[in-house]
């Protein structure tokens, strides 16, 4: 199954690549390393926009009806005299959710690290199709631009929540953001899905066909397993969201009624008959739940690599980790109904979805225990990447525990659509995935840019982010249990919630501090690209193949022949060797046994 024959096909190309122009090298590049950087920087910019939005609506929740100079400056007519309009509050929540889930976490993790690491860690010259890879990035870029442009529409951007349930999203006249804003949201997402599918197919083909000699599936680093399975989930579930978006476009523009029935507006009956908004929920969440794992699995894969490398010992339970990735992938496609317990679902069906949802706790727990056991008695190197990986294990467990409550149909009914849900999924999916992304950036920055990030700024970034993340989302569980609903732009009309106002102020202060301190990371990131300390070839003393490539990027990754693989990726602190790491391309010594846990 290896692509040994393929390696020489590419060797002849080498002479032709030093004539690259600026455009072919930096803009329309087909080199996976450059495309990874493009994804990362685009995702970072989108992340800044998404975090700014969350800081704005957090200020609105903490200090409702109070004039705010920032609102007046940034929102213009949507904040007359500095007081935020209710409609733009919903729009900010909607676009924040969309940007963070799809444009930052999906693209920032899969787009960046699948592109960077798949060819380098399996020993390939590049992706199976460099052209498709380039098209995939530019479609992503186009969809990002359309999503951002929708913010500047006269009637406002989409404002039906990131889940865009009809009828709010299906009737253009329902509210300001239901018009052109919603149309642009749907167009942007359709293009994004095309980008995601092209990328995923490329990743799958590359992993299956282009592994170097000796790189069997059971010698792959866990990062590659995670990226590979993530791509498979994407191919299975993203087309379903595309069909939902297309049917919604039909309902909006062509008079069909897939999702609409018996609609009254100001006493007037509309002509829609026979559709069902619950059908849309089924289609949306059939992608929506696998999406959680599309976001999370790459982060878990990165964590496996970073924790093993920085514990200086083999990952515990390598095969169990692969099995848990596969189990999570399978189970993620049969649990979507837990988002719909209060949609009038048959209670028996609810109990089926409860059962499948609670099953996911088993492979998730396997991963958590294996991380902890890998850390146990290791020679821990506490660099920023390691801290973020350990932080991920923490938020994955704390966020996962509340999932057991939300996955139970009887318990979920009480906290559905409250801040309890917001706290749960931000910890388990948002913060965990973000930590995985940061860990990956700190760990592979030297491979991407040939320079090191500043370690001390990394420590500041981690500790402030970790404290603020829990400061924001831990109290949210309690205001959720007290019944505070999501997506209300002010709670001042409900005397019932007056006691919770102070908690919301505390949450907002943590959110503002945490948001502002990401500037430390941004400064570290962009200044280190140009002025960071020059990196050596293998700064973390790691075993995987990407550290055998030269620091200076070349087209085709390796100057000579592609190295052959003789062992798995986790031979750290192996008895009988002089160093505490043995790279994968070092042949086995006489009498040495190959480890595989």
């Amino acid at each position: 199954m290896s692509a040994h024959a393929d390696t020489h096909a590419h060797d002849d190309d080498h002479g032709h690549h030093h004539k690259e122009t600026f455009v072919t090298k930096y803009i329309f590049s087909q080199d996976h390393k450059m495309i990874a950087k493009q994804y990362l920087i685009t995702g970072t910019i989108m992340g800044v926009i998404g975090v700014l939005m969350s800081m704005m609506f957090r200020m609105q929740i903490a200090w409702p009806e109070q004039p705010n100079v920032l609102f007046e400056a940034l929102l213009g007519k949507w904040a007359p005299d500095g007081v935020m309009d209710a409609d733009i509050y919903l729009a900010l929540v909607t676009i924040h959710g969309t940007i963070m889930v799809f444009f930052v976490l999906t693209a920032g993790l899969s787009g960046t690290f699948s592109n960077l690491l798949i060819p380098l860690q399996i020993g390939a010259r590049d992706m199976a199709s460099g052209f498709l890879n380039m098209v995939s990035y530019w479609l992503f870029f186009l969809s990002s631009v359309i999503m951002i442009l929708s913010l500047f529409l006269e009637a406002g951007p989409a404002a039906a929540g990131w889940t865009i349930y009809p009828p709010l999203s299906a009737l253009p006249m329902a509210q300001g953001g239901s018009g052109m804003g919603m149309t642009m949201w749907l167009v942007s997402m359709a293009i994004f899905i095309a980008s995601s599918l092209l990328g995923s197919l490329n990743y799958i083909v590359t992993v299956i066909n282009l592994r170097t000699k000796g790189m069997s599936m059971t010698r792959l680093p866990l990062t590659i397993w995670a990226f590979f399975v993530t791509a498979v989930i994407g191919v299975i579930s993203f087309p379903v969201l595309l069909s939902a978006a297309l049917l919604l476009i039909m309902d909006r523009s062509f008079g069909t009624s897939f999702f609409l029935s018996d609609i009254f507006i100001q006493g007037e009956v509309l002509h829609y008959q026979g559709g069902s908004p619950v059908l849309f929920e089924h289609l949306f969440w059939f992608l929506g739940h696998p999406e959680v794992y599309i976001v999370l699995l790459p982060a878990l894969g990165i964590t496996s690599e970073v924790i093993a490398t920085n514990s200086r010992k083999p990952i515990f339970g390598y095969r169990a980790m692969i099995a848990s990735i596969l189990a999570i992938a399978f189970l993620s496609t049969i649990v979507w109904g837990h988002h719909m317990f209060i949609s009038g679902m048959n209670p028996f069906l609810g109990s089926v979805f409860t059962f499948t949802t609670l099953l996911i706790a088993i492979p998730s727990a396997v991963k958590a225990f294996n991380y902890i056991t890998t850390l146990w008695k290791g020679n821990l190197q506490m660099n920023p990447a390691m801290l973020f990986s350990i932080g991920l294990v923490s938020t994955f467990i704390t966020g996962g525990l509340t999932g057991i409550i939300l996955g139970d149909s009887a318990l979920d009914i009480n906290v559905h659509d409250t801040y309890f849900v917001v706290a749960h999924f931000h910890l388990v999916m948002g913060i965990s995935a973000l930590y995985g992304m940061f860990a990956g950036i700190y760990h592979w920055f030297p491979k991407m840019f040939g320079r090191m990030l500043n370690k001390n700024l990394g420590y500041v970034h981690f500790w402030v982010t970790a404290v603020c993340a829990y400061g924001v989302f831990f109290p949210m569980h309690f205001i959720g249990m007290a019944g505070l609903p999501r997506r209300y732009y002010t709670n001042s009309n409900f005397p019932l919630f007056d006691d919770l106002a102070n908690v919301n102020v505390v949450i907002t202060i943590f959110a503002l501090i945490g948001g502002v301190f990401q500037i430390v990371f941004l400064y570290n990131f962009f200044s280190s690209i140009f002025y960071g300390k020059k990196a050596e070839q293998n700064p973390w003393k790691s075993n995987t193949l990407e550290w055998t490539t030269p620091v200076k990027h070349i087209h085709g990754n390796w100057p000579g022949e592609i190295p052959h693989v003789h062992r798995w990726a986790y031979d750290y602190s192996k008895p009988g060797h002089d160093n505490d790491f043995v790279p994968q391309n070092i042949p086995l010594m006489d009498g040495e046994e190959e480890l595989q846990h």
Side-chain angles (χ1 to χ4, degrees):
M1 300 252 318
S2 78
H4 189 45
D6 192 64
T7 57
H8 301 293
H10 286 283
D11 287 346
D12 308 331
D13 299 355
H14 282 218
H16 307 298
H17 279 293
H18 40 77
K19 300 193 190 75
E20 284 189 316
T21 62
F22 179 83
V23 173
T24 58
K25 187 172 179 189
Y26 292 105
I27 300 173
F28 297 113
S29 172
Q30 295 188 20
D31 184 349
H32 70 102
K33 300 180 290 295
M34 182 56 66
I35 293 172
K37 293 182 203 176
Q38 292 175 321
Y39 265 113
L40 181 58
I41 288 169
T42 314
T44 306
I45 294 165
M46 295 296 277
V48 170
I49 296 167
V51 169
L52 269 175
M53 288 178 170
S54 65
M55 288 162 78
M56 284 203 292
F57 59 69
R58 273 314 320 174
M59 287 191 277
Q60 163 64 21
I61 300 168
W63 303 288
E65 270 100 56
Q66 286 186 22
N68 186 318
V69 190
L70 197 65
F71 292 170
E72 205 162 8
L74 290 174
L75 299 175
K77 69 165 187 166
W78 297 108
D81 303 325
V83 178
M84 189 186 286
D85 183 69
D87 285 344
I88 201 66
Y89 175 85
L90 275 177
L92 286 173
V93 172
T94 302
I95 305 295
H96 160 80
T98 310
I99 283 179
M100 297 310 277
V101 170
F102 294 109
F103 294 88
V104 179
L105 296 177
T106 307
L109 274 160
S110 280
T112 302
F113 293 106
S114 297
N115 263 315
L116 177 73
L117 295 176
I118 286 177
L120 286 171
Q121 288 193 340
I122 68 172
R125 294 281 179 210
D126 206 313
M127 282 288 177
S129 167
F131 178 74
L132 276 188
N133 212 8
M134 175 187 79
V135 172
S136 163
Y137 168 73
W138 283 104
L139 286 174
F140 165 66
F141 181 81
L142 179 64
S143 71
S144 305
V145 169
I146 293 172
M147 191 61 75
I148 298 305
L149 285 179
S150 76
L151 298 172
F152 300 98
L153 290 170
E154 181 69 23
W162 81 278
T163 53
I164 58 161
Y165 284 178
L168 208 50
S169 58
L171 295 170
M173 70 291 271
Q175 60 176 14
S178 295
M180 189 63 187
M182 192 68 236
T183 303
M184 284 180 78
W185 191 100
L186 289 164
V187 169
S188 168
M189 281 313 299
I191 295 171
F192 175 85
I193 292 166
S195 150
S196 178
L197 286 172
L198 288 179
S200 294
L201 291 170
N202 219 349
Y203 306 150
I204 292 168
V205 172
T206 307
V207 173
I208 290 175
N209 286 339
L210 297 188
R211 303 192 306 281
T212 185
K213 191 171 183 189
M215 179 63 87
S216 62
M217 292 300 270
T218 47
R219 284 179 178 168
L220 286 175
L222 286 169
T223 37
I224 303 299
W225 268 105
F227 299 144
F228 174 65
V229 173
T230 300
V232 173
I233 305 176
V235 168
I236 290 167
S237 57
F238 265 120
V240 181
L241 183 64
L242 183 62
S243 66
L246 290 176
L247 295 181
L248 198 51
I249 290 171
M250 303 289 277
D251 272 14
R252 291 169 53 78
S253 307
F254 301 103
T256 57
S257 14
F258 291 107
F259 306 131
L260 294 168
S261 186
D262 305 322
I263 303 279
F264 295 81
I265 291 191
Q266 293 170 338
E268 185 190 338
V269 188
L270 299 188
H271 67 275
Y272 299 106
Q273 277 300 315
S276 165
V278 177
L279 169 62
F280 178 86
E281 289 189 38
H282 279 291
L283 292 174
F284 182 89
W285 287 117
F286 190 81
L287 159 93
H289 201 80
E291 171 65 26
V292 172
Y293 293 100
I294 289 172
V295 162
L296 201 52
L297 281 179
L300 294 172
I302 287 167
T303 298
S304 305
E305 184 62 37
V306 172
I307 284 182
T309 301
N310 290 306
S311 299
R312 313 309 298 161
K313 54 184 280 205
I315 190 84
F316 185 87
Y318 173 79
R319 286 174 186 247
M321 290 297 243
I322 296 172
S324 65
I325 289 174
L326 294 169
I328 284 173
F330 169 66
L331 289 170
S332 75
T333 58
I334 52 169
V335 295
W336 76 93
H338 66 217
H339 297 269
M340 301 169 55
F341 285 144
I342 61 165
S343 65
M345 175 187 285
N346 181 320
F348 174 73
L349 189 57
S351 68
V352 173
F353 278 122
T354 297
F355 175 65
T356 56
T357 302
L358 297 184
L359 277 182
I360 276 205
I362 299 168
S364 304
V366 167
K367 295 194 90 58
F369 287 129
N370 283 1
Y371 290 138
I372 294 166
T373 322
T374 306
L375 291 166
W376 178 251
K377 292 192 173 175
N379 173 17
L380 304 185
Q381 315 292 307
M382 286 298 185
N383 49 41
M386 181 66 153
L387 289 174
F388 273 110
S389 293
I390 295 170
L392 178 146
V393 177
S394 165
T395 54
F396 185 56
I397 293 170
T398 42
L401 284 173
T402 51
I404 294 172
I405 295 165
L406 293 170
D408 188 310
S409 50
L411 297 174
D412 172 72
I413 288 167
N414 306 290
V415 285
H416 192 92
D417 258 342
T418 67
Y419 271 90
F420 192 87
V421 178
V422 178
H424 158 73
F425 77 77
H426 276 82
L427 276 179
V428 81
M429 166 172 143
I431 300 296
S432 297
L434 212 54
Y435 282 0
M437 186 167 150
F438 284 140
I441 292 169
Y442 281 102
H443 191 74
W444 280 290
F445 190 87
K447 186 79 270 165
M448 275 195 263
F449 297 101
R451 293 178 182 270
M452 305 294 283
L453 283 162
N454 182 314
K455 203 171 176 179
N456 292 334
L457 289 179
Y459 289 140
V460 171
H461 176 218
F462 170 75
W463 284 110
V464 176
T465 305
V467 171
C468 289
Y470 272 132
V472 168
F473 297 115
F474 196 69
M476 269 191 197
H477 292 97
F478 300 108
I479 60 175
M481 285 192 285
L484 194 69
R486 305 165 64 174
R487 297 179 174 152
Y488 282 23
Y489 85 112
T490 170
N491 302 295
S492 49
N493 293 340
F494 307 99
L496 169 70
F497 298 133
D498 286 350
D499 296 345
L500 304 178
N502 293 338
V503 185
N504 264 327
V505 172
V506 169
I507 290 173
T508 297
I509 289 168
F510 273 119
L512 293 175
I513 296 169
V516 167
F517 260 86
Q518 299 313 306
I519 292 171
V520 173
F521 167 72
L522 292 172
Y523 168 75
N524 193 0
F525 183 84
F526 287 107
S527 69
S528 297
I529 291 176
F530 302 105
Y531 308 114
K533 192 178 101 201
K534 285 223 160 77
E536 51 191 276
Q537 189 176 8
N538 188 356
W540 314 119
K541 307 276 180 279
S542 191
N543 288 344
T544 40
L545 289 181
E546 76 270 27
W547 304 108
T548 62
T549 60
V551 178
K552 188 175 184 325
H553 287 178
I554 57 168
H555 200 89
N557 296 336
W558 286 270
E561 203 179 330
I562 295 179
H564 294 175
V565 170
H566 302 279
R567 56 183 73 235
W568 71 328
Y570 299 103
D571 271 343
Y572 291 104
S573 305
K574 191 171 186 184
H577 284 271
D578 299 337
N579 294 330
D580 69 347
F581 70 107
V582 191
Q584 286 188 277
N585 59 328
I586 305 288
L588 293 170
M589 297 190 302
D590 289 340
E592 182 187 356
E593 280 186 39
E594 186 177 357
L595 289 176
Q596 265 190 1
H597 292 283

